[in-house]
Amino acid sequence: MDLLTLIVFLPALGGLLCLFVPRAQVRVVAVLASLATLLVSLLLFPTFLGGAEAAESIFGTSYGKLQHVIRLPWITGEGFEIEYFLGIDGLGFPLIILTTLVSFLSCLASWNFDTWKINKGIRGYFFLFLLLETGMLGVFVSLDFFLFYIFWEVMLLPMYFLIGVWGGPRKEYAAIKFFLFTLAGSVLMLVALVAMYFYGGAAIEAAGGSVPSGYRVTDSGAPVAITHGTFDLIELATNDVIQKYFSAKATLFLGMRFAPIMFMFLFIGFAIKLPSVPFHTWLPDAHVEAPTPISMILAGVLLKMGGYGFLRLCYPIFPLGGEYWAFLLATVGVVSILYGALCAMAQTDFKKLVAYSSVSHMGYVLLGIAVMTPAGFQGAMFQMIAHGISSPMCFFLVGVIYDRAHHREINRFGGLWLTMPKYGTMATIGFFASLGLPGLCGFIGEVWVLLGTFDAGSKYTWAYPMAILAAAGVILTAGYILWLIRRVYLGNEREEYRGFPDASGREIFILVPMAILCIALGVLPMQTVFNFTNGTLDLLLAGVTDTINAMI
Amino acid sequence: MGQYTYEILLACGVLSPLVSFWLLVFAGPKLGKPAAGWVAVVLGMGVPLVLATIVLIGWLGETEGGRAALTAGAYRGTWAYIGTIPVTVGVKLDSLTVAMFFMVTLIAFLIFVFSIGYMKGHSDEVAGKSKYHRFFAYLSLFGFSMLGLVLSSSLLFLFIFWELVGLCSYLLIGYYFDKGFASAAAMKAFITNRVGDFGFLIGLMLVFMHLGTLDLDEAATVFAQQYAAGTGIFASHFTLFGWSLATIMGVGLFCGAMGKSAQFPLHVWLPDAMAGPTPVSALIHAATMVAAGVYLVARVYRLMTPEALAFVALIGCLTLTLMALIAIVQVDIKKCLAYSTLSQLGYMIFAMGCGAWIAALFHLITHAFFKAMLFLCSGQVIEGCHHEQDMRKMGGLMKKMPVTGITFLVGVLAIAGTGIPIPGAEIAGRKIGLGGFFSKDEILAVAYVRAFEWDDISKHEEHGEAHGAGHTAAPEPEGSRAMLVADRTQAEHHDEHQPAAAAHGAQSTHDSHGGADRAAIFKDMKKLPSWMFYLAIFTAYVTPFYMMRCWWMTFMGKPRDQHVYDHAHETPLMYVPLVVLAIGTFVSSYFLFRPLIEDASHSATSAAMVLATDGELGTEAIHAAHGWLRWYVGGAFLVGFIVAIAIYRNGLGLAEQLKKVFLPIHTILWNKYYFDEVYDVVWVKGCVLVAHIARFFDTYFIDLLVNLSAAVTERIAAFSGLVIDNHGIDGIVNGIAKTSIDIGGVARAPQTGRIRNYVLFATAVATVVVVCVLAFGMDSGSGAATVASSVAP
Amino acid sequence: MLSIGLTHYLVVAAVLLCTGLFTIMTKRNAIGILIGVELLLNAANVNLVAFDRFREGGLFDGQIMALFIIVLAAAEAAIAVGICINVYKNLATVDVDSARQLQG
């Protein structure tokens, strides 16, 4: 059995099993299924053992050198072939580990399902939950655009129901908002999918009907011949003929130049997911209404799909679009950073504040990618992983207190560090990681992105003010997080919360791994993330830069 | 000692407090009240102090060349890559590091010990719950961060530890977090520091981009090369407020120092930070962390342009004056000391800006000793007086707390710059005086030269440089070289009287860039505005006044509050550190630290301008300045003391009258120039207002658009559903159905259900058909005929 | 001597047909109608047999069809009487006009 296939479908199998076991055992099965997925996904590590050099040589030799590749024909017809094509490289690998980890922890966070306000349908809940995990994992491993799209949609529906059924008072509104926003992005992606297939086919047609593959070789070492349009993401990115055709001035789509317009289509789809201003308003609503574990998943993994999409689709396939829209994208990133932080500052709902902080933090991802510098790409990737750890932690921290107080009004809290010392300590770590304190994970991503942005000043003059504005974001971030800590955790104890029990064993068990990772990522960024990602990112950036330079 | 020995000892010294921190975090509650504290004392600071002492002794035994080799060969490892540029983690090993390391560990150790005494009572309780282990855990973490900061060889690591000491400061200021003002002060401290860090980050970005490295030494080398070649950061024509990019870089880095060292206009957090426990104020907010800003400037000195240094001097000058004036009216003993700290930090920064690198660091170290001592004394007083901090309620405590009173007086004398300025009054060739006497004196001397004699000297330098470029070691007239331009070459050619030009000539043979660039950048330095010098001198008179006022109000005169007076007592465990610090103030600073810093200046400031003045180093001009200055500075403490005693000798009566006379001025000072109020309105309220606008915009505009588009879609859907679908497409379908029904209705009529009718109908139809066939159907007709014919017989 | 020709047979058959039709149209009693139907069938039989007799090269297929019709008529009568009995059971009459439940 192929490892990646196992990882992807193990949760779904567990989910099916959930439907048939006695009610009392459902959560056990679900937790075991997600734990098994986590453990299996850790088996991917041996591929990269051997330190920085080994990882470099694996991911660094060529963008196409993927690991754990499985490639089977799936839907084949006249002139097209949709493949079951899975594989990982430096982009997918850390995100897979992140997904399985966050899923496991949030599955554990669902352990007290019976005490929720809406505790009907435990089977359905865990089934959908695990189906969601399958969808997310599928997105990160599929290298066939069609398959990618299918997993993208597979992930959408469980989320809709998880928010819409088990959510808070305005769950229907939030769920439909989430669904429609994402769907709007999917539609544009679908257009791009079809267009890329046909335009790719046209490129090959124009080149004589058969071109050598950009990265695949037969056993004898000769490149595989490509005779028709393809959904293979790596092929689209590495095939010279297709790349030239895509970025040529004469290639038009609806009267506009192909690469920028396609880039924009994909960008909007992913920017909604990221989410960046102005496509972000689904996020606070979804977070506020979603149950705690779902918020964790949403913040920890779903948002990363946006960033992953940029790095996997937009930039490698349409580098010219990146160049064309760089200013716009960076502006959107900076606005997200500042605007998200400002909005967070004005919130009175604890969870909404954390949700807006996500908007702010993901702005760094967009900014780092938009400027197309090595440090920017690295920082963006790191920021995704780091945010994927710190933000679920923050959401869980909110959940813990919500379970006890049954409200989330920041101004009604106070002195919780005295009432619940262990919880307070964990909260300090979580929120300081989010604040970007050096030594914790949030710092690395921000600094790398800022330096990367500034470094782009040699290409784009506007990068200087962008970097400075983004750096001003660190003040705002410190402002709203410290103000939050002061209002919720500091101050004197309040009478109504005096009897609250400190964090339980289960809650500590969920928080500790995230706290450890927050510190580990902050202290050893190279060993924890960069060694796995940098090779791929460098190649990717080199490809992007080459294409751009060739076109100018 | 070998290279590795130094590095390992120093690294262990940094990591030991970290071990202590984790130990206290996990096992702290089990260890209980005194044990947790002693863990911090022994593991957290005792071990580093021992290691630092070993390092110091070893270092003092090294030769000049040996030290240079150790500095050059210090460990550098790659921590991570930013893009393709490596970020190194390593040990910055030079005399400054050794001196700072020793100073920090020594003072911190004493304060840790003091803390155990301070926390003995109920001072460790937060809202009635003991957080004893937490306090010492934070202190240990601070020890780790501060020592890491001192040891960092890379700007990024400097920044990392920089933020970590900020975190510790935040946690410790907010130690009594049940108190609203404490948590507010903690937040204020952190955010104000973040504002400074914003500038630091910009500086860091410029360094990263234009110098292509974050290592301090490499950055300095690249900076010098770029200056010489006019490339990189010097190639840019970008200016802001008339500052070149290189200047912006220096100012940006200095902004970090402004935050941490609480320089005007980011000074607002430090007085509030006194909400923390007093040992914390002594350690973090007087001796070590706030001085980190000065240390940072010292470390990035080689990246500073003359314009950037002018800005540094300006900020320092404003701080030292404005804060000293506020200190005059303070009645809270800790606040008074806090403003004095601000003023002294201003002196250090001002010295840095003037080019008195050595004097600034020297003042940093002397100040650390006496200010830590002063704060500990105030802690003793506060603890003894049942947490009373208002000096108006004290008085006459000398009888109750003699040791504290005397050590406090030592501190007052030291900060006032007490010494004997009379020529000839020397012991072992040195002037007699306390720490501040030497350090402040030197700062003022350099400032004087920069303000009044600079044009002559810089002209000379230019001249000398011309000679140097031609490798002619032409001797300059003795007495003209007032300033020592220190660099590594000079450390090797340790001939103090060698003319500048010769030094430059020698330099150029060793280093293709250093000398000439340094001299060129040195030449760019402008004359210091004379008002800065006057302000600094003026403040030298104010300082003794407010310090003596503080001491007199607390310890002398008659007790003003009997309750406080009755309660007052001393704790023996707490005055041991006081005595040690008092001795340190007396002896160590001048004899130990001044030479070390001077030594550090050779390597740490190569390719930049350092002005040093000292009895041994200076020449005629500086001696002249120094000579008469010494009278002014030396006289200052006497004047200040006498005025203070004259006013406060008989209680507060006279002071009250003076207050009435100078009421407007008093009001302004009392309200700290309204900085807090203005910041609150402009920044805090402004930011929150903008935040609310953003939120409003988000909820009522962006979301409105989203909901509106949803509503519009819904309308369109409704329209298409009701109008087009129901009346159009559905109309056709339903129309067909309706017609069918109508037809059916008509067709239904004959269906009577009576068999007779059916039969009749069938018969009739059959008849009609037959008739028709017979009548009109030709074929059927002929068919019938055929049948007929065929059946014919 | 009057030879009996085809015409005579056809006339008899026509009389029978008309009688049957008349019976069906006038009778309200189901049994009566059944008898009328039998008359119609027999009219058809007479015609079939007569045409077969007077056709050249007759192969007795007319007679065979007549035999079929007789058998079918018997079966039909049995079914029809069964229906009548059931109708009577339900409605206590065999008046066809009263059995109108199935009218649309």
Side-chain angles (χ1 to χ4, degrees), chain B residues 335-676:
Chain B
K335 288 256 165 93
C336 182
L337 291 176
Y339 280 104
S340 136
T341 307
L342 282 169
S343 174
Q344 298 304 310
L345 289 168
Y347 265 113
M348 298 174 210
I349 294 289
F350 175 64
M352 281 290 174
C354 288
W357 194 89
I358 299 170
L361 287 167
F362 184 36
H363 194 57
L364 188 164
I365 286 176
T366 54
H367 173 258
F369 276 95
F370 59 66
K371 193 48 74 62
M373 185 172 69
L374 285 168
F375 264 107
L376 292 187
C377 290
S378 79
Q380 178 81 290
V381 169
I382 291 163
E383 174 73 9
C385 296
H386 219 289
H387 293 271
E388 182 55 68
Q389 304 195 1
D390 193 336
M391 291 189 289
R392 287 172 298 189
K393 292 184 180 165
M394 297 173 182
L397 291 177
M398 196 66 181
K399 290 188 198 87
K400 286 290 188 99
M401 313 177 147
V403 178
T404 314
I406 289 164
T407 42
F408 201 112
L409 183 62
V410 170
V412 170
L413 293 174
I415 197 172
T418 310
I420 302 172
I422 304 160
E426 290 173 350
I427 299 174
R430 308 248 175 196
K431 290 267 180 286
I432 300 162
L434 286 157
F437 174 66
F438 299 105
S439 48
K440 209 182 283 178
D441 182 41
E442 186 172 345
I443 293 172
L444 292 172
V446 174
Y448 173 78
V449 173
R450 278 288 311 278
F452 297 109
E453 297 178 353
W454 185 246
D455 288 340
D456 305 337
I457 290 161
S458 58
K459 232 173 268 159
H460 247 301
E461 280 293 328
E462 205 173 333
H463 185 53
E465 193 224 325
H467 279 287
H471 288 263
T472 52
E476 292 295 319
E478 192 74 13
S480 65
R481 201 178 69 83
M483 296 295 123
L484 169 72
V485 183
D487 56 39
R488 193 179 299 167
T489 318
Q490 216 138 21
E492 287 160 12
H493 302 260
H494 206 66
D495 181 6
E496 297 303 341
H497 299 283
Q498 188 177 17
H504 295 158
Q507 167 94 23
S508 57
T509 59
H510 280 263
D511 183 341
S512 55
H513 303 286
D517 320 332
R518 190 251 314 116
I521 211 167
F522 181 81
K523 178 185 70 191
D524 291 342
M525 251 167 120
K526 299 276 181 301
K527 176 175 163 297
L528 194 72
S530 51
W531 59 268
M532 285 196 192
F533 171 74
Y534 289 129
L535 280 181
I537 277 281
F538 167 67
T539 309
Y541 283 82
V542 176
T543 310
F545 170 73
Y546 68 70
M547 286 314 297
M548 183 48 84
R549 164 183 177 271
C550 179
W551 185 76
W552 198 273
M553 276 175 88
T554 310
F555 291 101
M556 303 307 276
K558 292 192 187 72
R560 283 181 290 273
D561 188 321
Q562 200 58 40
H563 173 71
V564 169
Y565 184 74
D566 290 345
H567 192 275
H569 64 276
E570 275 184 318
T571 314
L573 186 60
M574 288 157 76
Y575 62 60
V576 173
L578 290 180
V579 174
V580 176
L581 281 171
I583 295 165
T585 305
F586 264 116
V587 293
S588 73
S589 39
Y590 193 79
F591 297 105
L592 178 63
F593 290 108
R594 178 65 171 75
L596 270 179
I597 294 166
E598 195 189 310
D599 179 52
S601 71
H602 301 320
S603 66
T605 59
S606 60
M609 47 268 137
V610 170
L611 313 178
T613 153
D614 188 59
E616 295 163 23
L617 295 179
T619 48
E620 310 302 317
I622 200 76
H623 271 306
H626 216 170
W628 66 260
L629 260 176
R630 197 166 278 172
W631 286 105
Y632 281 93
V633 179
F637 79 93
L638 274 178
V639 175
F641 284 171
I642 290 163
V643 173
I645 293 168
I647 293 176
Y648 290 95
R649 189 165 42 94
N650 298 318
L652 303 178
L654 187 54
E656 287 295 323
Q657 284 171 0
L658 283 172
K659 184 175 139 187
K660 288 203 184 79
V661 174
F662 296 106
L663 194 60
I665 296 171
H666 183 271
T667 313
I668 290 173
L669 294 178
W670 183 254
N671 289 301
K672 300 160 260 175
Y673 312 111
Y674 297 97
F675 267 107
D676 280 338

Side-chain angles (χ1 to χ4, degrees), chain A residues 173 177 280-281 339 356 491 523, chain B residues 79 81 83 177 697-698 703 707:
Chain A
Y173 173 74
K177 202 168 174 184
H280 67 287
T281 55
Y339 184 77
Y356 273 108
V523 177
Chain B
W79 174 67
Y81 290 89
F177 62 79
F697 181 77
D698 208 56
D703 238 22
N707 290 341

